[in-house]
């Protein structure tokens, strides 16, 4: 199957003689880098007959008129103004969708907000354990101060790292991999509800733990909920969102993670002076964001793509009616998504859970998505953000801050991380995912180097503390609109529907697994190399991550989830060769030599219908 030339429209719509000339595109080896619309070459009368057959097959007779008009718009998205079948009111609705891309039903935004609130659990827990690190080790008999004998201190550092890593170990080894079966049987909403229950109960269990072993167990169980939630919520948001603002809506996951980090630091300061139970309150308070998630998830419409995957087209249409402003938009999306999924199935087929996992690395189209998702996820750990999220209070104390000043500096880091996540909300769908990463990674490199070198300034010098804090804050300011929101947004987009759950599970397991490794090893790394050496090491990791992103991560902005099949059908060698031979020389001419006349030859070409849509967006200033 991997090497078979597949005529995508021809296989999905088998009556070839009725459809005229069809373009043959191999979704496993798209050498022409062409983005195709499977409806574009179908004659109008044949398309209308196909719509009638589709409606009859799925018992959608009552919406046939809407489906016919929706199919025509899907076939030629930029040409609806010339279609006599489309009423003036429907044309206004389609035009409004382009000129007012943020105007969508409240149900869509409520769905995104309720689901993304759950991300605050993850951020809150990170900062709760951050503050708790200053006191719980002593209560449980595993202190890590400099006055402890070296052998004992090294042993205790590993234990503290293990406790901090608990949620990420539980996520990487179990929670993420439950996403596929639970999504299959319970749907997106059911899987999210199960994750919310884990995230609600386990922080409370951690707060009443009496030994470090009990605390570790509660944190491992929390990881099941975090992994399941992290693997499902971004998919749910991506599948419900329109392509033009999908990045912004899915990145609300990161917004709420950053907000959770900020609230966690606020909680740390609020309970700082309550005595021996401070660390219990810091860890236990992370249950709060899970409450609205538990209560609100079933008020959200289920993913229409999940319904289509299950063959429940009526329910998919009902969901789309709640998520789109006009019935013609719902009919268009229903017919177009289903048509693209039919094409996708010719390449991917149907498989069981074990086969789907192995196919992440054996089917070329899926393997390229796995590589790109793995790259952006592991880069989030390589950049060093979580050493600060987990250990900023410890780092600042090692750099010479007293305990309260360390918590205040950590609070400042959390505030910067949240505030600077907002720019990505407006740039991720215009500037693009790839461009944000390529811009911010160099900035994170020099800011980490600056923080590390500032730690060499004698502590008696007032500049020591100020410069360390300033560079850490600058690092957060560049991380938040770049590598912060992109990985979960990007990974939720790139996999085909057939492998989306297991693919996202793999991507999140990569992120959380390496987060666990980082959490366990960083106390020892800090003890061995100090603040300067630790920051210098992660500055080097930023450079490596930048190179990987440059060669392996394609852009996904403004393409529907199904159109990304064609993006990831382009071989990695073709993509990397284009970056070296075309994109990099253009960038040098344009931004180093400041040659405004330099032009970039695009890698991808588009079917006429898709090209019309891009032209329409350009006319309205949306591209």
């Amino acid at each position: 199957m991997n090497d078979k030339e597949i005529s995508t429209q021809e296989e999905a719509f088998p009556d070839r003689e009725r459809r005229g000339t069809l373009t043959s595109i191999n979704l496993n080896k798209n050498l022409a880098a062409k983005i195709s619309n499977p409806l574009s070459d179908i004659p109008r009368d044949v398309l209308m007959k196909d719509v009638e057959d589709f409606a009859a097959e799925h018992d959608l007779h009552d919406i046939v008129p809407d489906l016919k008009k929706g199919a025509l718009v899907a076939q030629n998205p930029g040409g609806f103004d010339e279609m006599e079948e489309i009423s003036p009111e429907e044309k206004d609705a389609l035009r409004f969708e382009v000129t007012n891309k943020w105007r969508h039903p409240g149900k869509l935004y409520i769905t995104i907000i309720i689901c993304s609130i759950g991300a605050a659990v993850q951020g809150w827990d990170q900062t709760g354990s951050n503050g708790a690190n200053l006191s719980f080790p002593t209560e449980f008999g595993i202190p890590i101060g400099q006055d402890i004998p070296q052998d004992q201190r090294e042993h205790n550092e590993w234990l503290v790292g293990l406790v901090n890593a608990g949620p990420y170990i539980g996520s990487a080894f179990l929670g993420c991999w439950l996403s596929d079966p639970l999504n299959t049987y319970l749907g997106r909403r059911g899987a999210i509800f199960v994750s919310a229950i884990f995230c609600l109960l386990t922080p409370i269990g951690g707060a009443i733990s009496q030994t470090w072993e009990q605390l570790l167990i509660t944190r491992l169980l929390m990881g099941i909920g975090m992994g399941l939630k992290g693997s499902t919520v971004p998919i749910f948001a991506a599948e419900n969102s329109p392509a033009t603002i999908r990045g912004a809506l899915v990145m609300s996951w990161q917004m709420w993670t950053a907000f959770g980090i900020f609230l966690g630091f606020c909680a740390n300061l609020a309970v700082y002076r309550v005595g021996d139970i401070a660390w219990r309150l810091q860890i236990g308070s992370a249950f709060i964001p899970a409450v609205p998630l538990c209560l609100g998830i079933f008020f959200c419409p289920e993913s229409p793509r999940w319904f289509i995957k299950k063959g429940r087209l009526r329910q998919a249409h009902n969901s789309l009616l709640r998520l789109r402003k006009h019935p013609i938009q719902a009919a268009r999306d229903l017919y177009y998504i289903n048509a693209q999924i039919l094409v996708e199935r010719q390449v991917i087929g149907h498989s069981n859970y074990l086969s789907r996992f192995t196919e992440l690395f054996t089917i070329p189209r899926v393997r390229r998505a796995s590589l790109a998702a793995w790259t952006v996820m592991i880069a989030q750990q390589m950049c060093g953000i979580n050493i600060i999220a987990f250990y900023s209070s410890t780092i600042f104390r090692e750099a010479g801050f007293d305990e309260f000043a360390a918590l205040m500096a950590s609070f400042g880091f959390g505030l910067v991380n949240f505030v600077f996540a907002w720019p990505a909300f407006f740039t991720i769908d215009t500037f693009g995912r790839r461009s944000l990463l390529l811009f911010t990674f160099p900035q994170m490199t020099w800011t980490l180097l600056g923080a590390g070198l500032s730690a060499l300034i004698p502590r008696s010098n007032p500049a020591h503390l100020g410069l360390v804090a300033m560079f850490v804050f600058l690092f957060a300011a560049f991380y938040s609109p770049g590598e912060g929101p992109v990985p979960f947004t990007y990974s939720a987009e790139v996999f085909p529907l057939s492998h989306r759950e297991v693919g996202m599970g793999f991507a999140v397991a990569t992120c959380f697994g390496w987060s666990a490794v980082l959490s366990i090893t960083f106390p020892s790394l800090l003890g061995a190399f100090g603040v300067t050496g630790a920051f210098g090491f992660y500055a080097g990791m930023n450079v490596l991550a930048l190179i990987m992103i440059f060669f392996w991560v394609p852009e996904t902005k403004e393409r529907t989830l199904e159109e990304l099949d064609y993006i990831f059908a382009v071989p990695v060698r073709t993509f990397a060769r284009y970056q070296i031979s075309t994109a990099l020389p253009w960038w040098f001419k344009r931004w180093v030599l400041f040659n405004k006349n330099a032009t970039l030859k695009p890698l991808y070409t588009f079917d006429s219908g898709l090209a019309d849509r891009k032209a329409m967006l350009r006319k309205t200033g949306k591209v």
Side-chain angles (χ1 to χ4, degrees):
M1 179 176 65
N2 295 350
D3 298 322
K4 178 184 176 182
E5 286 291 325
I6 297 172
S7 176
T8 55
Q9 294 105 323
E10 187 174 349
E11 295 293 335
F13 306 96
D15 297 330
R16 179 175 186 175
E17 68 279 3
R18 296 192 297 147
R19 284 157 173 73
T21 303
L22 297 174
T23 302
S24 179
I25 298 177
N26 183 351
L27 287 189
N28 281 322
K29 197 174 185 181
N30 185 6
L31 296 177
K34 183 176 181 180
I35 314 303
S36 181
N37 181 340
L39 306 175
S40 61
D41 293 322
I42 302 177
R44 179 170 293 203
D45 60 328
V46 175
L47 181 62
M48 295 299 96
K49 178 63 167 61
D50 287 341
V51 171
E52 292 173 359
D53 294 342
F54 170 77
E57 180 183 355
H58 298 288
D59 193 23
L60 299 172
H61 301 284
D62 55 311
I63 62 168
V64 167
D66 284 343
L67 284 174
K68 286 185 175 181
K69 289 183 282 189
L72 289 172
V73 175
Q75 184 183 54
N76 185 11
F80 61 82
D81 267 324
E82 288 74 42
M83 296 177 186
E84 295 180 358
E85 296 87 348
I86 311 300
S87 71
E89 179 210 358
E90 290 166 337
K91 290 179 181 178
D92 287 342
L94 293 169
R95 199 175 296 111
F96 184 86
E97 173 185 50
V98 176
T99 57
N100 297 267
K101 68 178 184 178
W102 293 101
R103 298 288 294 276
H104 294 279
K107 275 289 184 183
L108 173 63
Y109 293 108
I110 291 171
T111 297
I112 299 300
I113 291 171
I114 287 176
C115 293
S116 298
I117 286 174
V121 174
Q122 177 182 334
W124 199 317
D125 176 72
Q126 285 180 354
T127 49
S129 60
N130 184 314
N133 285 334
L134 299 178
S135 53
F136 91 80
T138 301
E139 179 167 338
F140 288 156
I142 48 173
I144 55 174
Q146 293 295 327
D147 54 341
I148 307 299
Q150 183 175 353
D151 290 347
Q152 185 63 37
R153 185 173 72 248
E154 290 178 356
H155 174 265
N156 292 351
E157 286 171 347
W158 280 97
L159 290 181
V160 171
L162 180 64
V163 170
N164 280 317
Y168 300 92
I169 296 172
S171 295
F173 286 96
L174 187 56
C176 294
W177 304 110
L178 288 175
S179 172
D180 192 336
L182 288 182
N183 271 274
T184 298
Y185 295 109
L186 302 179
R188 309 287 188 242
R189 296 185 305 172
I192 293 170
F193 178 75
V194 172
S195 74
I197 294 299
F198 275 92
C199 292
L200 175 67
L201 299 179
T202 51
I204 299 172
I208 61 175
S209 298
Q210 301 302 307
T211 65
W212 70 263
E213 291 91 347
Q214 292 176 4
L215 180 59
L216 174 61
I217 290 171
T218 64
R219 293 178 66 73
L220 289 169
L221 292 173
M222 177 188 286
I224 295 176
M226 284 175 50
L228 180 57
K229 174 169 54 67
S231 301
T232 304
V233 169
I235 289 176
F236 188 46
E239 291 183 343
N240 284 355
S241 302
T244 52
I245 58 170
R246 184 179 63 240
L249 296 187
V250 180
M251 73 143 289
S252 63
W253 168 270
Q254 175 60 26
M255 290 287 299
W256 282 95
T257 299
F259 189 53
I261 290 173
F262 171 67
L263 290 178
F265 282 127
C266 291
N268 288 347
L269 285 170
V271 302
Y272 168 66
R273 298 186 184 278
V274 301
D276 293 340
I277 65 168
W279 73 267
R280 297 184 182 277
L281 297 176
Q282 289 165 342
I283 286 180
S285 59
F287 86 92
I288 295 173
V291 175
L293 184 61
C294 284
L295 297 177
I297 185 58
F298 287 106
F299 292 97
C300 304
E302 181 58 272
S303 161
R305 285 176 169 89
W306 184 82
F307 280 133
I308 293 174
K309 184 178 182 178
K310 293 294 183 179
R312 293 153 64 175
L313 276 295
R314 170 68 66 181
Q315 290 163 291
H317 182 249
N318 290 339
S319 279
L320 284 167
L321 287 173
R322 300 171 69 188
L323 295 167
R324 304 292 183 261
K325 287 187 75 69
H326 196 280
I328 194 172
Q329 296 169 347
R332 175 203 60 194
D333 290 354
L334 178 70
Y335 195 75
Y336 184 68
I337 291 169
N338 185 70
Q340 287 279 21
I341 289 172
L342 288 175
V343 172
E344 180 183 287
R345 285 174 179 167
Q346 302 307 313
V347 180
I348 308 301
H350 299 275
S351 52
N352 59 37
Y353 175 71
L354 181 59
S355 296
R356 285 197 295 275
F357 175 75
T358 59
E359 286 166 357
L360 292 177
F361 314 103
T362 58
I363 296 177
R365 181 266 178 263
V366 186
R367 183 173 64 237
R368 295 180 195 112
S370 299
L371 175 63
W374 176 85
T375 299
V376 295
M377 282 296 196
I378 200 170
Q380 192 173 76
Q381 305 310 316
M382 294 170 68
C383 78
I385 184 62
N386 280 337
I387 65 173
I388 301 175
F390 287 136
Y391 294 109
S392 62
S393 299
T394 304
I395 290 169
F396 286 129
R397 188 173 62 182
E398 291 291 322
F401 290 61
D402 62 36
E403 188 167 324
F404 180 73
L407 287 173
M408 282 299 297
S410 293
F411 168 81
F413 162 77
L415 180 61
V416 170
N417 185 43
F418 175 59
V419 169
F420 280 88
W422 281 96
F425 194 78
F426 303 100
T427 59
I428 195 168
D429 286 309
T430 52
F431 200 45
R433 289 75 153 146
R434 173 181 169 84
S435 298
L436 284 173
L437 295 178
L438 293 178
F439 171 73
T440 54
F441 265 91
Q443 321 311 322
M444 291 190 289
T445 301
W446 68 260
T447 51
L448 276 182
L449 282 175
L453 293 174
S454 297
L456 296 176
I457 299 174
R459 294 189 179 186
S460 58
N461 190 325
H464 172 88
L465 299 181
L467 286 175
V468 170
M470 182 191 75
F471 281 113
V472 169
F473 295 165
L474 284 173
F475 170 82
F478 286 117
Y479 165 86
S480 295
E483 183 59 16
V486 168
F488 282 85
T489 302
Y490 191 88
S491 299
E493 299 173 325
V494 298
F495 292 98
L497 182 61
S498 57
H499 290 65
R500 192 162 291 151
E501 298 91 343
V502 69
M504 188 64 177
F506 162 73
V508 176
T510 297
C511 181
F512 286 173
W514 282 99
S515 181
V517 171
L518 186 150
S519 301
I520 293 171
T521 59
F522 186 73
S524 297
L525 182 69
L526 186 63
F529 297 107
V531 174
T532 300
F535 279 174
F537 173 79
Y538 281 102
M541 290 294 99
N542 274 269
V543 175
L544 179 58
L546 175 67
I547 295 171
M548 292 161 57
I549 290 164
F550 181 78
F551 285 111
W552 295 340
V553 177
E555 184 58 77
T556 60
K557 69 170 183 173
E558 293 178 341
R559 301 258 59 91
T560 70
L561 295 178
E562 289 69 39
E563 287 166 3
L564 292 179
D565 285 331
Y566 301 96
I567 298 289
F568 287 95
V570 177
V572 173
R573 290 182 186 177
T574 302
F575 179 78
R577 191 183 305 118
Y578 171 83
Q579 303 307 322
I580 288 291
S581 65
T582 304
L584 191 59
W586 167 82
W587 180 87
F588 183 81
K589 291 176 185 177
R590 179 64 185 87
W591 300 109
V592 177
L593 301 181
F594 296 103
N595 179 2
K596 295 183 179 180
N597 296 321
T599 57
L600 177 63
K601 179 183 176 182
L603 172 61
Y604 305 109
T605 58
F606 297 86
D607 259 355
S608 58
L610 299 177
D612 288 345
R613 186 176 76 194
K614 290 181 71 67
M616 179 176 62
L617 292 172
R618 286 194 181 95
K619 287 179 183 178
T620 57
K622 302 302 180 183
V623 175

